[in-house]
Amino acid sequence: MRKIVIAGNWKMFKTQAESTAFLSGFLPHLESTPSAREVVLCPPFTDLILASKSLHGSRVSLGSQNVHWEENGAYTGEIAAPMLTEIGVRYVIVGHSERRQYFGETDITVNLRLKAAQKHGLTPILCVGETKQQRDANETEKLISSQLKKGLVDVDQSNLVIAYEPIWAIGTGDTCEAKEANRVISLIRSQLSNPSVTIQYGGSVKPNNIDEIMAQPEIDGALVGGASLEADSFARIVNYK
Ligand code: 13P
């Protein structure tokens, strides 16, 4: 059985005061959320301890937006897995296109982060996806195959989530057609050794398209940016019909 995982990636948004306001508006909406749906919030590092306390006893799991591959060391600006697990973090986003594009993340460092996360019992959410230029040049399949092949070397597929995030759909309002996302996700699944890996779609997921996205047979959840920042809109997404 594939698990449904709906995750909010807050990126570099929300102070602690703003996180507190979000949670007080969001948590009451979860009373009717089917228990089989895993709900995850990935706030900035400075919000993690506060969120961990506020979410204790709730059904929301906490995720981080990055993890380094060493357990400690001289790596200014990075965060280590034991620092995350100590405060109750369960998931970590790895290889987001913004990290690949702006911060020099490569398939090699993605692979190191995935293995470190798993070694410490975190569930990594591996992001893959093509640019508009790559899509127009019919390179989507080749690119994603390569990201998977290099990223997943020696990675345990029994503790893994993958997010298909076409870069041209992120933050643009230009969602990938649900059927096309379903097609690419089925190609991703065909390259995995474990067919039960949860594969999410991400890229301009909103309250008005989540129902259609989740109706696709291959799509097991969503990785949501902008629409996860507002309590009512993220609540509508996790309570998709
Ligand atoms: P948007 O939902 O804002 O398009 O962001 C998607 C994303 O990058 C989630 O990781």
Side-chain angles (χ1 to χ4, degrees), residues 7 9 11 93 96-98 127 165 169-173 202-206 223-228:
N9 172 12
K11 309 191 179 183
I93 298 170
H96 192 281
S97 59
E98 288 149 15
C127 302
E165 295 209 310
I170 295 177
T172 57
S204 296
V205 173
K206 305 286 176 206
L223 184 56
V224 186
S228 73

mmCIF file with all atom_site columns, all heavy atoms in Angstrom, residues 7 9 11 93 96-98 127 165 169-173 202-206 223-228, ligand 1:
data_model
loop_
_atom_site.group_PDB
_atom_site.id
_atom_site.type_symbol
_atom_site.label_atom_id
_atom_site.label_alt_id
_atom_site.label_comp_id
_atom_site.label_asym_id
_atom_site.label_entity_id
_atom_site.label_seq_id
_atom_site.pdbx_PDB_ins_code
_atom_site.Cartn_x
_atom_site.Cartn_y
_atom_site.Cartn_z
_atom_site.occupancy
_atom_site.B_iso_or_equiv
_atom_site.pdbx_formal_charge
_atom_site.auth_seq_id
_atom_site.auth_comp_id
_atom_site.auth_asym_id
_atom_site.auth_atom_id
_atom_site.pdbx_PDB_model_num
ATOM   1   N N   . ALA A 1 7   ? 2.673  17.426 1.883   1.00 0.00 ? 7   ALA A N   1
ATOM   2   C CA  . ALA A 1 7   ? 3.680  18.191 2.627   1.00 0.00 ? 7   ALA A CA  1
ATOM   3   C C   . ALA A 1 7   ? 3.674  19.652 2.207   1.00 0.00 ? 7   ALA A C   1
ATOM   4   O O   . ALA A 1 7   ? 3.534  19.966 1.017   1.00 0.00 ? 7   ALA A O   1
ATOM   5   C CB  . ALA A 1 7   ? 5.064  17.578 2.401   1.00 0.00 ? 7   ALA A CB  1
ATOM   6   N N   . ASN A 1 9   ? 5.971  22.939 1.981   1.00 0.00 ? 9   ASN A N   1
ATOM   7   C CA  . ASN A 1 9   ? 7.345  23.446 1.998   1.00 0.00 ? 9   ASN A CA  1
ATOM   8   C C   . ASN A 1 9   ? 7.259  24.965 2.114   1.00 0.00 ? 9   ASN A C   1
ATOM   9   O O   . ASN A 1 9   ? 6.894  25.633 1.148   1.00 0.00 ? 9   ASN A O   1
ATOM   10  C CB  . ASN A 1 9   ? 8.058  23.025 0.707   1.00 0.00 ? 9   ASN A CB  1
ATOM   11  C CG  . ASN A 1 9   ? 9.428  23.670 0.562   1.00 0.00 ? 9   ASN A CG  1
ATOM   12  O OD1 . ASN A 1 9   ? 9.950  24.254 1.513   1.00 0.00 ? 9   ASN A OD1 1
ATOM   13  N ND2 . ASN A 1 9   ? 10.013 23.562 -0.628  1.00 0.00 ? 9   ASN A ND2 1
ATOM   14  N N   . LYS A 1 11  ? 9.632  27.019 2.442   1.00 0.00 ? 11  LYS A N   1
ATOM   15  C CA  . LYS A 1 11  ? 10.795 27.727 1.883   1.00 0.00 ? 11  LYS A CA  1
ATOM   16  C C   . LYS A 1 11  ? 11.276 28.779 2.900   1.00 0.00 ? 11  LYS A C   1
ATOM   17  O O   . LYS A 1 11  ? 11.262 28.502 4.099   1.00 0.00 ? 11  LYS A O   1
ATOM   18  C CB  . LYS A 1 11  ? 10.433 28.325 0.519   1.00 0.00 ? 11  LYS A CB  1
ATOM   19  C CG  . LYS A 1 11  ? 9.808  27.255 -0.397  1.00 0.00 ? 11  LYS A CG  1
ATOM   20  C CD  . LYS A 1 11  ? 9.660  27.663 -1.830  1.00 0.00 ? 11  LYS A CD  1
ATOM   21  C CE  . LYS A 1 11  ? 9.064  26.498 -2.616  1.00 0.00 ? 11  LYS A CE  1
ATOM   22  N NZ  . LYS A 1 11  ? 8.951  26.771 -4.041  1.00 0.00 ? 11  LYS A NZ  1
ATOM   23  N N   . ILE A 1 93  ? 13.399 17.436 3.074   1.00 0.00 ? 93  ILE A N   1
ATOM   24  C CA  . ILE A 1 93  ? 13.389 17.662 1.622   1.00 0.00 ? 93  ILE A CA  1
ATOM   25  C C   . ILE A 1 93  ? 14.846 17.662 1.131   1.00 0.00 ? 93  ILE A C   1
ATOM   26  O O   . ILE A 1 93  ? 15.691 18.339 1.719   1.00 0.00 ? 93  ILE A O   1
ATOM   27  C CB  . ILE A 1 93  ? 12.723 19.018 1.290   1.00 0.00 ? 93  ILE A CB  1
ATOM   28  C CG1 . ILE A 1 93  ? 11.259 19.027 1.761   1.00 0.00 ? 93  ILE A CG1 1
ATOM   29  C CG2 . ILE A 1 93  ? 12.803 19.305 -0.213  1.00 0.00 ? 93  ILE A CG2 1
ATOM   30  C CD1 . ILE A 1 93  ? 10.603 20.406 1.686   1.00 0.00 ? 93  ILE A CD1 1
ATOM   31  N N   . HIS A 1 96  ? 15.809 19.828 -3.685  1.00 0.00 ? 96  HIS A N   1
ATOM   32  C CA  . HIS A 1 96  ? 14.810 20.747 -4.266  1.00 0.00 ? 96  HIS A CA  1
ATOM   33  C C   . HIS A 1 96  ? 15.466 21.534 -5.400  1.00 0.00 ? 96  HIS A C   1
ATOM   34  O O   . HIS A 1 96  ? 16.645 21.892 -5.317  1.00 0.00 ? 96  HIS A O   1
ATOM   35  C CB  . HIS A 1 96  ? 14.272 21.691 -3.183  1.00 0.00 ? 96  HIS A CB  1
ATOM   36  C CG  . HIS A 1 96  ? 13.057 22.440 -3.636  1.00 0.00 ? 96  HIS A CG  1
ATOM   37  N ND1 . HIS A 1 96  ? 13.145 23.533 -4.458  1.00 0.00 ? 96  HIS A ND1 1
ATOM   38  C CD2 . HIS A 1 96  ? 11.741 22.223 -3.419  1.00 0.00 ? 96  HIS A CD2 1
ATOM   39  C CE1 . HIS A 1 96  ? 11.914 23.968 -4.716  1.00 0.00 ? 96  HIS A CE1 1
ATOM   40  N NE2 . HIS A 1 96  ? 11.047 23.188 -4.101  1.00 0.00 ? 96  HIS A NE2 1
ATOM   41  N N   . SER A 1 97  ? 14.703 21.858 -6.415  1.00 0.00 ? 97  SER A N   1
ATOM   42  C CA  . SER A 1 97  ? 15.298 22.557 -7.572  1.00 0.00 ? 97  SER A CA  1
ATOM   43  C C   . SER A 1 97  ? 15.905 23.895 -7.176  1.00 0.00 ? 97  SER A C   1
ATOM   44  O O   . SER A 1 97  ? 16.862 24.353 -7.794  1.00 0.00 ? 97  SER A O   1
ATOM   45  C CB  . SER A 1 97  ? 14.260 22.750 -8.673  1.00 0.00 ? 97  SER A CB  1
ATOM   46  O OG  . SER A 1 97  ? 13.176 23.506 -8.190  1.00 0.00 ? 97  SER A OG  1
ATOM   47  N N   . GLU A 1 98  ? 15.346 24.537 -6.123  1.00 0.00 ? 98  GLU A N   1
ATOM   48  C CA  . GLU A 1 98  ? 15.933 25.821 -5.700  1.00 0.00 ? 98  GLU A CA  1
ATOM   49  C C   . GLU A 1 98  ? 17.324 25.603 -5.099  1.00 0.00 ? 98  GLU A C   1
ATOM   50  O O   . GLU A 1 98  ? 18.212 26.447 -5.238  1.00 0.00 ? 98  GLU A O   1
ATOM   51  C CB  . GLU A 1 98  ? 14.972 26.531 -4.725  1.00 0.00 ? 98  GLU A CB  1
ATOM   52  C CG  . GLU A 1 98  ? 13.749 27.063 -5.468  1.00 0.00 ? 98  GLU A CG  1
ATOM   53  C CD  . GLU A 1 98  ? 12.465 27.109 -4.666  1.00 0.00 ? 98  GLU A CD  1
ATOM   54  O OE1 . GLU A 1 98  ? 12.507 26.992 -3.429  1.00 0.00 ? 98  GLU A OE1 1
ATOM   55  O OE2 . GLU A 1 98  ? 11.391 27.251 -5.302  1.00 0.00 ? 98  GLU A OE2 1
ATOM   56  N N   . CYS A 1 127 ? 13.467 15.469 -4.508  1.00 0.00 ? 127 CYS A N   1
ATOM   57  C CA  . CYS A 1 127 ? 12.798 16.229 -5.574  1.00 0.00 ? 127 CYS A CA  1
ATOM   58  C C   . CYS A 1 127 ? 13.529 16.038 -6.902  1.00 0.00 ? 127 CYS A C   1
ATOM   59  O O   . CYS A 1 127 ? 14.758 16.154 -6.962  1.00 0.00 ? 127 CYS A O   1
ATOM   60  C CB  . CYS A 1 127 ? 12.794 17.718 -5.243  1.00 0.00 ? 127 CYS A CB  1
ATOM   61  S SG  . CYS A 1 127 ? 11.987 18.099 -3.698  1.00 0.00 ? 127 CYS A SG  1
ATOM   62  N N   . GLU A 1 165 ? 8.639  17.508 -9.330  1.00 0.00 ? 165 GLU A N   1
ATOM   63  C CA  . GLU A 1 165 ? 8.375  18.947 -9.351  1.00 0.00 ? 165 GLU A CA  1
ATOM   64  C C   . GLU A 1 165 ? 8.942  19.548 -10.647 1.00 0.00 ? 165 GLU A C   1
ATOM   65  O O   . GLU A 1 165 ? 10.127 19.920 -10.696 1.00 0.00 ? 165 GLU A O   1
ATOM   66  C CB  . GLU A 1 165 ? 9.022  19.634 -8.149  1.00 0.00 ? 165 GLU A CB  1
ATOM   67  C CG  . GLU A 1 165 ? 8.454  19.220 -6.819  1.00 0.00 ? 165 GLU A CG  1
ATOM   68  C CD  . GLU A 1 165 ? 8.557  20.346 -5.791  1.00 0.00 ? 165 GLU A CD  1
ATOM   69  O OE1 . GLU A 1 165 ? 9.638  20.925 -5.620  1.00 0.00 ? 165 GLU A OE1 1
ATOM   70  O OE2 . GLU A 1 165 ? 7.535  20.645 -5.176  1.00 0.00 ? 165 GLU A OE2 1
ATOM   71  N N   . ALA A 1 169 ? 6.726  24.715 -13.360 1.00 0.00 ? 169 ALA A N   1
ATOM   72  C CA  . ALA A 1 169 ? 5.424  24.805 -12.677 1.00 0.00 ? 169 ALA A CA  1
ATOM   73  C C   . ALA A 1 169 ? 5.550  25.363 -11.261 1.00 0.00 ? 169 ALA A C   1
ATOM   74  O O   . ALA A 1 169 ? 4.544  25.624 -10.604 1.00 0.00 ? 169 ALA A O   1
ATOM   75  C CB  . ALA A 1 169 ? 4.766  23.426 -12.628 1.00 0.00 ? 169 ALA A CB  1
ATOM   76  N N   . ILE A 1 170 ? 6.795  25.548 -10.784 1.00 0.00 ? 170 ILE A N   1
ATOM   77  C CA  . ILE A 1 170 ? 6.986  25.981 -9.395  1.00 0.00 ? 170 ILE A CA  1
ATOM   78  C C   . ILE A 1 170 ? 6.818  27.483 -9.269  1.00 0.00 ? 170 ILE A C   1
ATOM   79  O O   . ILE A 1 170 ? 7.524  28.258 -9.927  1.00 0.00 ? 170 ILE A O   1
ATOM   80  C CB  . ILE A 1 170 ? 8.385  25.567 -8.873  1.00 0.00 ? 170 ILE A CB  1
ATOM   81  C CG1 . ILE A 1 170 ? 8.485  24.036 -8.815  1.00 0.00 ? 170 ILE A CG1 1
ATOM   82  C CG2 . ILE A 1 170 ? 8.667  26.183 -7.509  1.00 0.00 ? 170 ILE A CG2 1
ATOM   83  C CD1 . ILE A 1 170 ? 9.838  23.520 -8.386  1.00 0.00 ? 170 ILE A CD1 1
ATOM   84  N N   . GLY A 1 171 ? 5.866  27.893 -8.454  1.00 0.00 ? 171 GLY A N   1
ATOM   85  C CA  . GLY A 1 171 ? 5.672  29.309 -8.157  1.00 0.00 ? 171 GLY A CA  1
ATOM   86  C C   . GLY A 1 171 ? 5.167  30.124 -9.333  1.00 0.00 ? 171 GLY A C   1
ATOM   87  O O   . GLY A 1 171 ? 5.183  31.357 -9.295  1.00 0.00 ? 171 GLY A O   1
ATOM   88  N N   . THR A 1 172 ? 4.721  29.453 -10.385 1.00 0.00 ? 172 THR A N   1
ATOM   89  C CA  . THR A 1 172 ? 4.321  30.178 -11.596 1.00 0.00 ? 172 THR A CA  1
ATOM   90  C C   . THR A 1 172 ? 2.812  30.210 -11.780 1.00 0.00 ? 172 THR A C   1
ATOM   91  O O   . THR A 1 172 ? 2.315  30.965 -12.620 1.00 0.00 ? 172 THR A O   1
ATOM   92  C CB  . THR A 1 172 ? 4.914  29.492 -12.849 1.00 0.00 ? 172 THR A CB  1
ATOM   93  O OG1 . THR A 1 172 ? 4.459  28.127 -12.862 1.00 0.00 ? 172 THR A OG1 1
ATOM   94  C CG2 . THR A 1 172 ? 6.428  29.511 -12.829 1.00 0.00 ? 172 THR A CG2 1
ATOM   95  N N   . GLY A 1 173 ? 2.086  29.368 -11.069 1.00 0.00 ? 173 GLY A N   1
ATOM   96  C CA  . GLY A 1 173 ? 0.646  29.238 -11.299 1.00 0.00 ? 173 GLY A CA  1
ATOM   97  C C   . GLY A 1 173 ? 0.365  28.372 -12.528 1.00 0.00 ? 173 GLY A C   1
ATOM   98  O O   . GLY A 1 173 ? -0.779 28.091 -12.865 1.00 0.00 ? 173 GLY A O   1
ATOM   99  N N   . GLY A 1 202 ? 4.499  18.202 -7.268  1.00 0.00 ? 202 GLY A N   1
ATOM   100 C CA  . GLY A 1 202 ? 4.652  19.551 -6.726  1.00 0.00 ? 202 GLY A CA  1
ATOM   101 C C   . GLY A 1 202 ? 4.809  20.558 -7.851  1.00 0.00 ? 202 GLY A C   1
ATOM   102 O O   . GLY A 1 202 ? 5.402  20.254 -8.896  1.00 0.00 ? 202 GLY A O   1
ATOM   103 N N   . GLY A 1 203 ? 4.261  21.754 -7.646  1.00 0.00 ? 203 GLY A N   1
ATOM   104 C CA  . GLY A 1 203 ? 4.341  22.817 -8.654  1.00 0.00 ? 203 GLY A CA  1
ATOM   105 C C   . GLY A 1 203 ? 2.986  23.456 -8.836  1.00 0.00 ? 203 GLY A C   1
ATOM   106 O O   . GLY A 1 203 ? 2.125  22.916 -9.529  1.00 0.00 ? 203 GLY A O   1
ATOM   107 N N   . SER A 1 204 ? 2.786  24.605 -8.149  1.00 0.00 ? 204 SER A N   1
ATOM   108 C CA  . SER A 1 204 ? 1.515  25.344 -8.226  1.00 0.00 ? 204 SER A CA  1
ATOM   109 C C   . SER A 1 204 ? 0.302  24.493 -7.845  1.00 0.00 ? 204 SER A C   1
ATOM   110 O O   . SER A 1 204 ? -0.762 24.609 -8.451  1.00 0.00 ? 204 SER A O   1
ATOM   111 C CB  . SER A 1 204 ? 1.328  25.974 -9.614  1.00 0.00 ? 204 SER A CB  1
ATOM   112 O OG  . SER A 1 204 ? 2.343  26.942 -9.846  1.00 0.00 ? 204 SER A OG  1
ATOM   113 N N   . VAL A 1 205 ? 0.470  23.645 -6.826  1.00 0.00 ? 205 VAL A N   1
ATOM   114 C CA  . VAL A 1 205 ? -0.685 22.931 -6.270  1.00 0.00 ? 205 VAL A CA  1
ATOM   115 C C   . VAL A 1 205 ? -1.502 23.946 -5.461  1.00 0.00 ? 205 VAL A C   1
ATOM   116 O O   . VAL A 1 205 ? -0.953 24.698 -4.650  1.00 0.00 ? 205 VAL A O   1
ATOM   117 C CB  . VAL A 1 205 ? -0.239 21.769 -5.356  1.00 0.00 ? 205 VAL A CB  1
ATOM   118 C CG1 . VAL A 1 205 ? -1.446 21.143 -4.659  1.00 0.00 ? 205 VAL A CG1 1
ATOM   119 C CG2 . VAL A 1 205 ? 0.512  20.721 -6.168  1.00 0.00 ? 205 VAL A CG2 1
ATOM   120 N N   . LYS A 1 206 ? -2.799 23.987 -5.729  1.00 0.00 ? 206 LYS A N   1
ATOM   121 C CA  . LYS A 1 206 ? -3.684 24.976 -5.104  1.00 0.00 ? 206 LYS A CA  1
ATOM   122 C C   . LYS A 1 206 ? -4.980 24.290 -4.681  1.00 0.00 ? 206 LYS A C   1
ATOM   123 O O   . LYS A 1 206 ? -5.282 23.187 -5.158  1.00 0.00 ? 206 LYS A O   1
ATOM   124 C CB  . LYS A 1 206 ? -4.053 26.077 -6.131  1.00 0.00 ? 206 LYS A CB  1
ATOM   125 C CG  . LYS A 1 206 ? -2.870 26.774 -6.781  1.00 0.00 ? 206 LYS A CG  1
ATOM   126 C CD  . LYS A 1 206 ? -2.181 27.740 -5.849  1.00 0.00 ? 206 LYS A CD  1
ATOM   127 C CE  . LYS A 1 206 ? -0.948 28.337 -6.535  1.00 0.00 ? 206 LYS A CE  1
ATOM   128 N NZ  . LYS A 1 206 ? 0.094  28.789 -5.647  1.00 0.00 ? 206 LYS A NZ  1
ATOM   129 N N   . LEU A 1 223 ? 3.604  18.108 -2.841  1.00 0.00 ? 223 LEU A N   1
ATOM   130 C CA  . LEU A 1 223 ? 4.575  18.948 -2.143  1.00 0.00 ? 223 LEU A CA  1
ATOM   131 C C   . LEU A 1 223 ? 4.199  20.378 -2.524  1.00 0.00 ? 223 LEU A C   1
ATOM   132 O O   . LEU A 1 223 ? 4.273  20.767 -3.688  1.00 0.00 ? 223 LEU A O   1
ATOM   133 C CB  . LEU A 1 223 ? 6.008  18.600 -2.576  1.00 0.00 ? 223 LEU A CB  1
ATOM   134 C CG  . LEU A 1 223 ? 7.132  19.332 -1.856  1.00 0.00 ? 223 LEU A CG  1
ATOM   135 C CD1 . LEU A 1 223 ? 7.061  19.156 -0.339  1.00 0.00 ? 223 LEU A CD1 1
ATOM   136 C CD2 . LEU A 1 223 ? 8.498  18.828 -2.342  1.00 0.00 ? 223 LEU A CD2 1
ATOM   137 N N   . VAL A 1 224 ? 3.751  21.135 -1.515  1.00 0.00 ? 224 VAL A N   1
ATOM   138 C CA  . VAL A 1 224 ? 3.059  22.398 -1.771  1.00 0.00 ? 224 VAL A CA  1
ATOM   139 C C   . VAL A 1 224 ? 3.895  23.565 -1.256  1.00 0.00 ? 224 VAL A C   1
ATOM   140 O O   . VAL A 1 224 ? 4.295  23.565 -0.083  1.00 0.00 ? 224 VAL A O   1
ATOM   141 C CB  . VAL A 1 224 ? 1.687  22.390 -1.047  1.00 0.00 ? 224 VAL A CB  1
ATOM   142 C CG1 . VAL A 1 224 ? 0.881  23.625 -1.424  1.00 0.00 ? 224 VAL A CG1 1
ATOM   143 C CG2 . VAL A 1 224 ? 0.911  21.118 -1.352  1.00 0.00 ? 224 VAL A CG2 1
ATOM   144 N N   . GLY A 1 225 ? 4.153  24.543 -2.103  1.00 0.00 ? 225 GLY A N   1
ATOM   145 C CA  . GLY A 1 225 ? 4.887  25.731 -1.682  1.00 0.00 ? 225 GLY A CA  1
ATOM   146 C C   . GLY A 1 225 ? 3.924  26.830 -1.248  1.00 0.00 ? 225 GLY A C   1
ATOM   147 O O   . GLY A 1 225 ? 3.359  26.796 -0.154  1.00 0.00 ? 225 GLY A O   1
ATOM   148 N N   . GLY A 1 226 ? 3.695  27.791 -2.129  1.00 0.00 ? 226 GLY A N   1
ATOM   149 C CA  . GLY A 1 226 ? 2.913  28.989 -1.808  1.00 0.00 ? 226 GLY A CA  1
ATOM   150 C C   . GLY A 1 226 ? 1.591  28.723 -1.094  1.00 0.00 ? 226 GLY A C   1
ATOM   151 O O   . GLY A 1 226 ? 1.255  29.394 -0.114  1.00 0.00 ? 226 GLY A O   1
ATOM   152 N N   . ALA A 1 227 ? 0.852  27.724 -1.563  1.00 0.00 ? 227 ALA A N   1
ATOM   153 C CA  . ALA A 1 227 ? -0.479 27.481 -0.996  1.00 0.00 ? 227 ALA A CA  1
ATOM   154 C C   . ALA A 1 227 ? -0.427 26.805 0.378   1.00 0.00 ? 227 ALA A C   1
ATOM   155 O O   . ALA A 1 227 ? -1.463 26.606 1.009   1.00 0.00 ? 227 ALA A O   1
ATOM   156 C CB  . ALA A 1 227 ? -1.322 26.645 -1.964  1.00 0.00 ? 227 ALA A CB  1
ATOM   157 N N   . SER A 1 228 ? 0.794  26.462 0.849   1.00 0.00 ? 228 SER A N   1
ATOM   158 C CA  . SER A 1 228 ? 0.894  25.893 2.207   1.00 0.00 ? 228 SER A CA  1
ATOM   159 C C   . SER A 1 228 ? 1.144  26.985 3.248   1.00 0.00 ? 228 SER A C   1
ATOM   160 O O   . SER A 1 228 ? 1.223  26.711 4.442   1.00 0.00 ? 228 SER A O   1
ATOM   161 C CB  . SER A 1 228 ? 2.012  24.851 2.281   1.00 0.00 ? 228 SER A CB  1
ATOM   162 O OG  . SER A 1 228 ? 3.284  25.464 2.242   1.00 0.00 ? 228 SER A OG  1
HETATM 163 P P1  . 13P B 2 .   ? 4.637  26.222 -5.376  1.00 0.00 ? 1   13P B P1  1
HETATM 164 O O1  . 13P B 2 .   ? 3.542  25.344 -4.798  1.00 0.00 ? 1   13P B O1  1
HETATM 165 O O2  . 13P B 2 .   ? 4.684  27.582 -4.764  1.00 0.00 ? 1   13P B O2  1
HETATM 166 O O3  . 13P B 2 .   ? 4.598  26.227 -6.864  1.00 0.00 ? 1   13P B O3  1
HETATM 167 O O4  . 13P B 2 .   ? 6.024  25.527 -4.946  1.00 0.00 ? 1   13P B O4  1
HETATM 168 C C1  . 13P B 2 .   ? 6.217  24.179 -5.181  1.00 0.00 ? 1   13P B C1  1
HETATM 169 C C2  . 13P B 2 .   ? 7.457  23.740 -4.499  1.00 0.00 ? 1   13P B C2  1
HETATM 170 O O5  . 13P B 2 .   ? 8.540  24.124 -4.873  1.00 0.00 ? 1   13P B O5  1
HETATM 171 C C3  . 13P B 2 .   ? 7.312  22.864 -3.333  1.00 0.00 ? 1   13P B C3  1
HETATM 172 O O6  . 13P B 2 .   ? 8.540  22.329 -2.942  1.00 0.00 ? 1   13P B O6  1
#
